[in-house]
Amino acid sequence: MLRGEHMFCLCPDGFQGDNCETDTSGCYFGRGLYYRGTKSESQSRRKCLDWDPETRERFMSSDVNSGMHNYCRNLGFRLRPWCYVLGNHISVQEYCDIPRCYSSPGPTLEVPFTLPPSPQPEIEFSCGQRNSRQMKIVGGTIATVESHPWVAAIFWRSKSRRKAFRCGGSLISPCWVLTAAHCFPDGAQTKARRLSVILGKSALNETESSSEQKFQVDKLFVHEEFDNSEGNYDHDIALLRLKAKHGQCAKETRSVRTVCLPPPGESLQPGIQCEIAGYGKEQQGLWYNSQYLRQAKVVLLSHEECRDKDYYGSLITGNMLCAGRPDWSQDACEGDSGGPLVCEVADRLYLFGIVSWGDGCAQEFRPGVYTVVTNYNQWIAEKSGLSSFTAGSVVSVAPLK
């Protein structure tokens, strides 16, 4: 029998809160993705048109009367609820005149952050800091490596000694790079001696000796529970240990720095804007990767939304998070795998996600899927010997306005 703290209430439509005390029918939270009120007027005071049958069938099967109404909704992950109205004798989209709710539908997330300790006490690295701001990743822009100094380029050398770019990664300490498990088809049987990592690299087919640092890989750890039997890359995480030179691995420079790891189990609210970077294809269908490091900004989606049948459904597990753009214009793509999804908190960049998979690139309702790094802090500590991360000062994290 459920008792005490395990009891909960199911609120009727339009009400939220511990005691169903908040009427949400007249306002919306966040971007209004779950708004189910009956407002049917645009911000220009025009009456909303009924949703068309195709839209109802595709996106509104669980809505009121299966979408057979003209109420404002946020379909397509836009900024706020909207509807179609008649303008110049044609149907046009317009945002609705609905206020944002003042209170949060749940407790505000307060994330304790602290800088991860260095595995080499004699080397002081300033994690999550960069010397320059951004100046494909699909729809993104060319980036200087100084704006993403933790990005690692992982290469594979074949038996014929031909070297090919394999995946991206993130430098989390001077000797350790975090990446995706699916980058290594042979799993734990992959020969580490055939892998190499270049840090501080701005272009794949160019070498800049003044900024690049190259290392052979000493050891590869692929997560023991990595599973692609369902085609969704669960537990998609791997660690590379760099082979030290003269007792030292990476040296901190303008183009090479570590990224911070957030505390175990912490997450960010949907709506937070984060960054991705990589050397992947600039658009779906190209046979070649981007010549230069590219970057893009994406917005975190809620776990519930990404598990919706209109998105990825049950393919999304608790080890994954989704991020995209409201207009679906920017996304990670093939070749970006293993690269970082970083979010800025208190002027530092934290590695919350690893580029994992997605259905195509920058496709509508098909956001990028990323491995949730905070689910694996203990695994990272066990494999790398890095100290566990302890809670420090509390930083409130609010969604993007």
Side-chain angles (χ1 to χ4, degrees):
M1 177 180 293
L2 295 177
R3 299 170 182 261
E5 63 181 7
H6 302 291
M7 299 294 289
F8 62 95
C9 295
L10 293 177
C11 300
D13 289 344
F15 292 88
Q16 293 186 1
D18 294 339
N19 301 301
C20 302
E21 73 281 3
T22 304
D23 182 354
T24 64
S25 61
C27 61
Y28 67 91
F29 292 107
R31 292 175 178 266
L33 298 174
Y34 306 108
Y35 173 75
R36 291 297 180 268
T38 57
K39 186 73 173 183
S40 58
E41 185 177 76
S42 74
Q43 58 189 9
S44 65
R45 306 298 182 187
R46 286 184 282 186
K47 183 179 179 181
C48 295
L49 301 176
D50 288 343
W51 295 101
D52 61 272
E54 181 181 355
T55 299
R56 295 201 307 266
E57 181 179 357
R58 189 177 177 190
F59 307 116
M60 305 175 72
S61 60
S62 61
D63 206 320
V64 179
N65 295 328
S66 299
M68 296 182 66
H69 56 67
N70 67 335
Y71 305 148
C72 300
R73 296 291 183 260
N74 187 354
L75 307 181
F77 192 42
R78 302 188 186 281
L79 294 176
R80 57 184 186 274
W82 58 277
C83 68
Y84 288 108
V85 297
L86 201 60
N88 294 327
H89 306 291
I90 60 172
S91 176
V92 296
Q93 297 178 9
E94 189 171 321
Y95 288 118
C96 291
D97 184 26
I98 306 175
R100 188 189 297 268
C101 297
Y102 289 108
S103 60
S104 169
T108 300
L109 180 65
E110 291 190 334
V111 186
F113 283 89
T114 185
L115 299 183
S118 168
Q120 300 179 357
E122 72 280 6
I123 301 176
E124 292 294 333
F125 263 59
S126 301
C127 79
Q129 296 183 322
R130 52 188 171 197
N131 289 284
S132 68
R133 287 292 179 182
Q134 301 86 320
M135 301 226 306
K136 190 169 175 175
I137 301 236
V138 177
T141 58
I142 292 177
T144 61
V145 72
E146 288 82 5
S147 62
H148 302 276
W150 36 82
V151 170
I154 302 171
F155 291 85
W156 166 259
R157 177 175 51 82
S158 67
K159 291 182 179 179
S160 64
R161 305 191 68 80
R162 181 181 179 183
K163 189 173 71 172
F165 174 73
R166 175 60 64 86
C167 271
S170 301
L171 187 69
I172 61 171
S173 83
C175 288
W176 292 93
V177 169
L178 198 62
T179 185
H182 81 262
C183 293
F184 312 99
D186 295 329
Q189 305 305 314
T190 302
K191 293 180 172 59
R193 67 176 182 271
R194 290 188 177 174
L195 296 169
S196 60
V197 171
I198 300 180
L199 306 172
K201 194 168 188 62
S202 292
L204 286 181
N205 61 352
E206 298 177 6
T207 299
E208 182 55 63
S209 57
S210 63
S211 62
E212 294 181 9
Q213 298 180 34
K214 182 178 179 180
F215 297 91
Q216 296 301 310
V217 174
D218 184 51
K219 184 71 175 179
L220 166 67
F221 295 96
V222 175
H223 198 280
E224 299 79 4
E225 296 182 56
F226 171 64
D227 180 20
N228 192 36
S229 60
E230 300 295 327
N232 62 346
Y233 293 151
D234 201 14
H235 300 288
D236 193 13
I237 190 170
L239 267 170
L240 298 176
R241 185 173 68 194
L242 306 182
K243 186 173 293 186
K245 300 177 182 179
H246 310 294
Q248 184 175 351
C249 297
K251 300 177 182 179
E252 185 176 26
T253 66
R254 287 179 57 85
S255 56
V256 176
R257 293 196 172 194
T258 55
V259 67
C260 302
L261 289 182
E266 296 294 353
S267 60
L268 297 179
Q269 292 181 351
I272 292 289
Q273 181 171 269
C274 300
E275 300 174 16
I276 51 178
Y279 308 93
K281 296 179 179 180
E282 296 179 35
Q283 66 183 59
Q284 186 177 357
L286 294 181
W287 60 271
Y288 56 88
N289 284 0
S290 171
Q291 176 183 349
Y292 299 101
L293 178 67
R294 302 182 80 89
Q295 65 190 4
K297 294 185 178 182
V298 292
V299 176
L300 301 185
L301 279 69
S302 70
H303 190 71
E304 292 75 18
E305 181 177 11
C306 203
R307 281 183 58 86
D308 187 87
K309 64 182 182 60
D310 292 326
Y311 288 74
Y312 290 121
S314 60
L315 288 176
I316 301 300
T317 73
N319 301 313
M320 306 171 192
L321 64 86
C322 296
R325 294 293 299 177
D327 59 0
W328 308 103
S329 62
Q330 299 182 17
D331 193 11
C333 200
E334 185 178 350
D336 292 319
S337 292
L341 178 143
V342 298
C343 310
E344 186 172 359
V345 179
D347 298 321
R348 289 183 184 264
L349 279 300
Y350 290 81
L351 183 69
F352 276 91
I354 299 171
V355 178
S356 182
W357 63 279
D359 185 359
C361 309
Q363 289 197 70
E364 193 173 20
F365 305 109
R366 293 296 181 267
V369 182
Y370 303 81
T371 304
V372 178
V373 173
T374 52
N375 285 7
Y376 300 95
N377 289 65
Q378 185 61 39
W379 181 83
I380 294 170
E382 291 174 356
K383 300 301 180 184
S384 67
L386 300 178
S387 301
S388 299
F389 309 107
T390 56
S393 58
V394 176
V395 179
S396 295
V397 182
L400 178 71
K401 299 298 183 182

